[in-house]
């Protein structure tokens, strides 16, 4: 595989990296998350051939969910193949009971990747494609989302949002589709290990992949790429919105106080956006949209109202300001407690605000 001739696929990814060198910086240590499927094998093949131009150090991680009887065989064969071509190998095997859902499996993978990335001093690289991005966008739309959800699967993000100095998660194949990664593996004669669990239509994502997207592609060829490009534009729009919101907050806040009089003169949707950003920035608090709408009534609420939030934080309404304060954390100061308390505390705000 190291002697593969330069192909149009190599040229395409190389051009992408030249246009965006921050995507996979030169001289980086990169931990590749490799399942053995066509996307990850295509990723590994291209990066192996490009590493001499960029000076990368490549390491491999494989996560075995232990979901089927062939998983151990796939892990062993993939390990032998990687070691034969000189790639350092790391792997973990899950207790199938602890990764019974898509969400818990994803959480397990990223926890293991984070641990290995920290130990090896690496950033993490995954093989997400434009097809994955289109699937995610459809799922988010169906479940209900905001700009962050529509612009998900960013090319670069923190692996752990709670660790700003930690590893980055990098996705260099977002301009490639799943059909193109299949072509790469076929044309470059790259082995692929098929995970039988991917053919199940029980997980929502798999149903989107096998039943919904093929119909959309038949009706509107190339729609997956267009949806992925739209997600990219949305992510840029969200970045711009965040920067503008931060500039606005500079004129509305002092330390941990929000100027209530200036804030309440804004449109409701603007108040909610500023409030969401302020709470996230100052306290790391994430409030559901339906609760932001209720808290928005604080602009006209009576002085003295207090709403307890998660992790000991509380919002206190004063005459001219809204104060965000962190008190002693109690055992019940959880996200669920926060949501329930907002519901209770704001139940009369709508009515009382009309009297103010």
């Amino acid at each position: 595989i190291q002697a593969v001739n330069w192909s149009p696929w190599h040229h395409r990814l190389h051009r992408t990296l030249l246009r965006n060198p921050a995507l996979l910086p030169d001289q980086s240590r990169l931990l590749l998350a490799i399942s053995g499927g066509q996307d990850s094998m295509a990723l590994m093949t291209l990066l192996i051939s490009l590493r001499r131009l960029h000076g990368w150090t490549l390491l491999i991680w494989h996560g075995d969910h232990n979901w089927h009887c062939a998983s151990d065989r796939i892990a062993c064969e993939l390990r032998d193949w990687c070691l034969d071509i000189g790639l350092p190998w790391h792997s973990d095997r899950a207790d199938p009971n602890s990764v019974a859902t898509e969400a818990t499996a994803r959480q397990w993978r990223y926890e293991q990747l984070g641990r290995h990335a920290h130990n090896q001093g690496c950033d993490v690289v995954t093989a997400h494609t434009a097809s994955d991005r289109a699937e995610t966008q459809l799922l988010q739309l169906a479940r209900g989302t905001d700009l962050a959800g529509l612009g998900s699967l960013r090319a670069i993000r923190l692996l752990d949002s709670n660790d700003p100095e930690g590893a980055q998660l990098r996705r260099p194949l977002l301009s490639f589709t799943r059909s193109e990664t299949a072509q790469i593996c076929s044309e470059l004669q790259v082995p692929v290990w098929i995970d039988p669990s991917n053919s199940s239509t029980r997980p929502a994502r798999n149903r989107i992949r096998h039943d919904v997207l093929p119909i959309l592609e038949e009706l509107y060829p190339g729609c997956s790429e267009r949806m992925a490009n739209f997600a990219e534009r949305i992510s840029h729009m969200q970045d711009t919105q965040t920067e503008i919101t931060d500039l606005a907050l500079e004129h509305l806040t002092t330390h941990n106080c929000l100027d209530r009089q200036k804030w309440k003169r804004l449109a409701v949707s603007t108040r909610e956006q500023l409030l969401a950003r302020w709470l996230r920035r100052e306290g790391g608090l994430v409030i559901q949209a339906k609760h932001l709408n209720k808290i928005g009534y604080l602009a006209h609420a009576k002085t003295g109202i207090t709403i307890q939030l998660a992790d000991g934080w509380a919002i206190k309404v004063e005459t001219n300001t809204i104060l965000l304060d962190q008190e002693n954390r109690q055992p019940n100061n959880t996200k669920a407690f926060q949501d329930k308390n907002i519901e209770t505390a704001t139940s009369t705000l709508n009515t009382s605000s009309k009297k103010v």
Side-chain angles (χ1 to χ4, degrees):
I1 191 169
Q2 291 172 293
V4 165
N5 292 328
W6 189 265
S7 71
W9 305 111
H10 292 90
H11 179 72
R12 179 171 157 186
L13 181 56
H14 185 53
R15 294 277 296 176
T16 297
L17 296 175
L18 290 178
R19 288 194 300 269
N20 184 9
L23 185 53
L24 292 180
D26 289 354
Q27 314 305 320
S28 296
R29 288 175 58 82
L30 304 174
L31 180 64
L32 313 187
I34 304 297
S35 68
Q38 65 183 54
D39 295 342
S40 62
M41 293 304 292
L43 170 72
M44 179 163 54
T45 299
L46 296 179
L47 295 192
I48 287 172
S49 299
L50 290 173
R51 64 178 168 178
R52 63 182 177 83
L53 299 176
H54 296 273
W56 302 316
T57 298
L58 303 181
L59 303 89
I60 305 301
W61 178 83
H62 173 74
D64 179 1
H65 295 113
N66 199 14
W67 278 342
H68 53 84
C69 59
S71 67
D72 188 50
R73 174 184 59 79
I74 291 174
C76 290
E77 292 179 2
L78 181 58
R79 176 199 62 204
D80 293 343
W81 190 86
C82 290
L83 293 177
D84 282 345
I85 60 173
L87 290 174
W89 171 268
H90 304 273
S91 66
D92 293 286
R93 194 175 199 208
D95 175 353
N97 295 321
S98 67
V99 292
T101 66
E102 291 180 89
T104 55
R106 181 181 182 276
Q107 181 180 356
W108 175 80
R109 288 195 303 272
Y110 281 103
E111 285 175 354
Q112 305 312 310
L113 281 166
R115 178 170 58 84
H116 287 286
H118 175 76
N119 292 340
Q120 300 296 327
C122 296
D123 281 344
V124 170
V125 183
T126 62
H128 290 102
T129 65
S131 304
D132 293 303
R133 209 169 196 182
E135 291 166 5
T136 300
Q137 195 171 68
L138 287 174
L139 283 168
Q140 298 283 48
L141 279 169
R143 292 183 296 211
T145 188
D146 55 10
L147 285 182
L150 291 178
S152 59
L153 287 187
R154 288 170 171 259
I156 307 171
R157 71 163 176 84
L158 282 171
L159 183 62
D160 181 355
S161 59
N162 295 318
D163 184 7
E165 303 300 322
Q168 297 284 335
L169 174 62
R170 303 179 181 277
R171 299 177 172 122
L173 293 191
L174 289 178
S175 61
F176 292 76
T177 64
R178 188 168 294 114
S179 62
E180 288 177 324
T181 61
Q183 283 183 262
I184 292 171
C185 292
S186 175
E187 292 176 13
L188 302 183
Q189 299 182 335
V190 180
V192 172
W193 284 266
I194 305 298
D195 184 340
S197 65
N198 288 337
S199 62
S200 169
T201 55
R202 290 185 63 186
R205 179 176 292 276
N206 284 8
R207 292 204 68 181
I208 295 287
R209 178 176 303 169
H210 296 301
D211 298 339
V212 179
L213 268 180
I215 294 175
L216 290 177
E217 284 289 350
E218 183 179 345
L219 291 171
Y220 307 104
C223 70
S224 294
E225 292 177 80
R226 290 191 292 275
M227 291 168 67
N229 290 335
F230 178 66
E232 183 68 14
R233 293 195 298 274
I234 288 292
S235 70
H236 294 164
M237 183 186 300
Q238 188 193 14
D239 290 341
T240 300
Q241 186 184 74
T242 298
E243 291 178 355
I244 293 173
T245 300
D246 284 342
L247 287 173
L249 284 173
E250 288 182 11
H251 298 280
L252 290 172
T253 58
T254 303
H255 301 300
N256 59 339
C257 294
L258 180 67
D259 189 313
R260 183 183 176 191
Q261 302 307 319
K262 291 180 180 178
W263 182 59
K264 73 178 182 182
R265 290 199 293 267
L266 301 173
V268 173
S269 59
T270 305
R271 289 206 303 262
E272 292 176 7
Q273 181 180 322
L274 288 165
L275 183 65
R277 178 60 181 164
W278 181 56
L279 293 174
R280 179 185 286 270
R281 193 177 70 176
E282 298 301 319
L285 297 163
V286 178
I287 310 294
Q288 293 183 28
K290 64 179 182 179
H291 293 141
L292 278 174
N293 178 264
K294 294 179 179 181
I295 296 177
Y297 284 114
L298 290 175
H300 303 286
K302 294 180 179 179
T303 299
I305 289 177
T306 297
I307 298 179
Q308 299 293 333
L309 303 177
D311 298 326
W313 290 96
I315 291 177
K316 301 178 180 179
V317 179
E318 300 179 344
T319 303
N320 294 312
T321 62
I322 294 177
L323 174 68
L324 180 65
D325 190 26
Q326 188 171 35
E327 303 172 339
N328 293 328
R329 181 171 181 175
Q330 301 297 321
N332 62 346
N333 281 167
T334 62
K335 180 71 165 54
F337 166 81
Q338 168 181 286
D339 294 347
K340 181 179 179 180
N341 197 56
I342 291 174
E343 291 279 359
T344 303
T346 60
S347 61
T348 60
L349 284 182
N350 194 1
T351 303
S352 64
S353 65
K354 295 177 182 177
K355 303 176 183 177
V356 177

